[in-house]
Amino acid sequence: TLSPNPKMAAGSIAPEEMEELREAFSKVDVDSNGHISTDELNDLFKAANLPLPGYRVREIVEELSSTMDLNKDGKITFDEFVNVVHGLKSSDVAKTFRKAINKKEGIYSVGGTSEQSSAGTQHSYSEEEKVAFVNWINKALEKDPDCQHVLPMDPTTNDLFTAMGDGIVLCKMINLSVADTIDERTINKKKLTPFTIQENLNLALNSASAIGCHVVNIGAEDLKEGRQHLVLGLLWQVIKIGLFADIEISRNEALVALLREGESLEDLMKLSPEELLLRWANYQLEQAGCPKINNFSSDIKDSKAYYNILNQVAPKGDEEGIPPIAIDMFGLREKDELHRADCMLVQADRLGCRQFVTATDVVRGNPKLNLAFVANLFNKYPALKKPENQDIDWSSIEGETREERTFRNWMNSLGVNPRVNHLYLDLSDALVIFQLYEKIKVPVDWDKVNKPPYTKLGSNMKKLENCNYAVELGKKEAKFSLVGIAGQDLNEGNRTLTLALLWQLMRRYTLNILEELGDGQKVNDDTIVTWVNNTLSEAGKPTISGFKDGSISSSLPVLDLIDSIQHGSIRYDLVKTEDLTDEEKLNNAKYAISMARKIGTRVYALPEDLVEVKPKMVMTVFACLMARGMKRV
Ligand SMILES: *[C@@H]1O[C@H](CO)[C@@H](O)[C@H](O)[C@H]1NC(C)=O
Ligand SMILES: *[C@@H]1O[C@H](CO)[C@@H](O)[C@H](O)[C@H]1NC(C)=O
Ligand SMILES: *[C@@H]1O[C@H](CO)[C@@H](O)[C@H](O)[C@H]1NC(C)=O
Ligand SMILES: *[C@@H]1O[C@H](CO)[C@@H](O)[C@H](O)[C@H]1NC(C)=O
């Protein structure tokens, strides 16, 4: 994570205290995204019911977040948290803060021995989130014949946590968020046993990671046992990825309408989906001649902004085949905020967008659920027109390639901070690269790293210095081949050269896993091919000449290898073996990738990578399978 000096902070803190802090952090960071926001901090204080006046709470939160959030991005990472809580040990603020964490109310504290984690610690989760997710899932999977054994879930009970236990609902939700992630044929649906349930959960977790969820601290056990805060954290990530999928300029060029005076297209592309949504809401408010909002928490509590946005985006009947829906604004006059929110939600319902929030969530300004509410509204009624502006260079809007997406998902699943939304723009200060170096055990001297906020003047200089250091580390410490790559290429987002570095990072990461399993023995492409050949030969299957072998296009070598590692796992009746059309190849590949995940490998490659025999991604698939095979013995 992004820390001024994680080593030092960790070094001076006793392990028990570190554990306690980690615990506290995870309690606040319920979506396990590796950071807590000012909002979450705020909620924590409010929920804690401290005998403090409101202004004092605000002061404390301000003080804490300004001291903690060292890089001023509105997000407090664990390391920032440790540094400051530790530094403030004896102060009033720290005491209050600790008390708040220990007394968290309204956010449920889980009691009872069976639900406590092995360390005997307590976790908490938000009841509102549970209700929201249950309703969302009930609706999304309403007609799915494979989920009828658990749906509809009752939002007032703990149904959700039991229902998630066999992995089916989670697999379905992942596939809904990113279509075609999971091959339906690999989900175990009938006569489930502990073993086949475990397989479903493996499939779900490894697929979640492949779509960019940060699942490092969650295991199949946690899902099976329905550990509430972990289940909700994972679900939120999955749901959010689905909600945000189209809030991206290359997928929806009409978003360019949100460009402001004096802004470049690149400025707009740099915005995160959260920022784009806020932009969008304000655009609609501006069109309606209403005041702007700064957030989806305090600023939407009175429902006024929501009323105006609904009114603005509701179909007017000017589009063929879409009947007009007139929003009834009468409820705006309602004096009581809760009643007003209720009336507003009745109108949202008429648009089919009453999702994620209750009137109480609106009035309390729950930031997470309100964000989801707005994202869903945007997806259904974007109400934006692609501008016909001559000055816009439409050709510079390029969709993400498969390779770029795979790298991005890989790094996000490792929990880099901030989350990477746009591969090149978000790496321009190399901060994420440094975190990846740490993941491959290349030590980073954080004193040499410039951290945000960068002053306006010379900000790119600071970023460039970081990039130079990143290239230097790659050459000197990681011993990468970086011929012709300079810091400037990363900073400017030269695609080819950035990808070259990223590939070496991902490759090293993959090989490290194998070397750890093999007690440090060096591993290279040949080692992997030899292992694959031996394993295939032993099982009486054809071998491969390398990662470019044309036979890989049919996925048969991968399927055979999976079947050799876990005997009888491949249903060959589902596999086409001869005279394959492109579609049949893709079908085999989908089956192979999902099966690899199901037997427990974290494969990031996509089916197309096998069909097209992309040697790099093919190598990662075989390397992951080798790791799985080595664990077998
Ligand atoms: C996954 O998504 C694809 C495409 O949307 C669909 O054809 C398939 O049936 C889905 N599978 C599951 C497991 O939901
Ligand atoms: C939301 O923005 C308003 C200003 O428009 C500000 O007063 C308020 O503190 C913000 N709320 C949160 C939770 O950040
Ligand atoms: C990226 O770097 C390569 C190699 O130096 C160069 O050929 C290419 O023109 C650069 N691309 C851009 C867009 O600058
Ligand atoms: C794997 O087997 C192929 C024959 O299919 C052979 O050409 C190749 O050299 C072998 N590679 C290794 C590394 O064992």
Side-chain angles (χ1 to χ4, degrees), residues 141 144 146 168 171-176 178-187 189 590:
L141 300 177
D144 193 313
D146 301 322
I168 298 178
C171 284
K172 298 279 181 171
M173 289 308 293
I174 290 169
N175 201 46
L176 274 182
V178 181
D180 256 342
T181 300
I182 293 180
D183 186 327
E184 182 83 21
R185 298 170 295 179
T186 57
I187 305 176
K189 293 168 185 167
K590 284 181 187 169

Side-chain angles (χ1 to χ4, degrees), residues 39 42 293-295 297-299:
D39 286 341
N42 224 342
I293 55 174
N294 281 313
N295 48 51
S297 50
S298 348
D299 283 5

Side-chain angles (χ1 to χ4, degrees), residues 86 130 362 578 592:
H86 190 62
K130 184 192 75 182
V362 173
E578 273 163 42

Side-chain angles (χ1 to χ4, degrees), residues 541-557:
K541 312 275 188 183
T543 53
I544 56 165
S545 60
F547 303 133
K548 292 180 183 160
D549 193 318
S551 70
I552 293 167
S553 177
S554 68
S555 295
L556 288 174

Side-chain angles (χ1 to χ4, degrees), residues 526 529-530 533 543-545:
D526 260 358
V529 177
T530 305
N533 271 359
T543 53
I544 56 165
S545 60

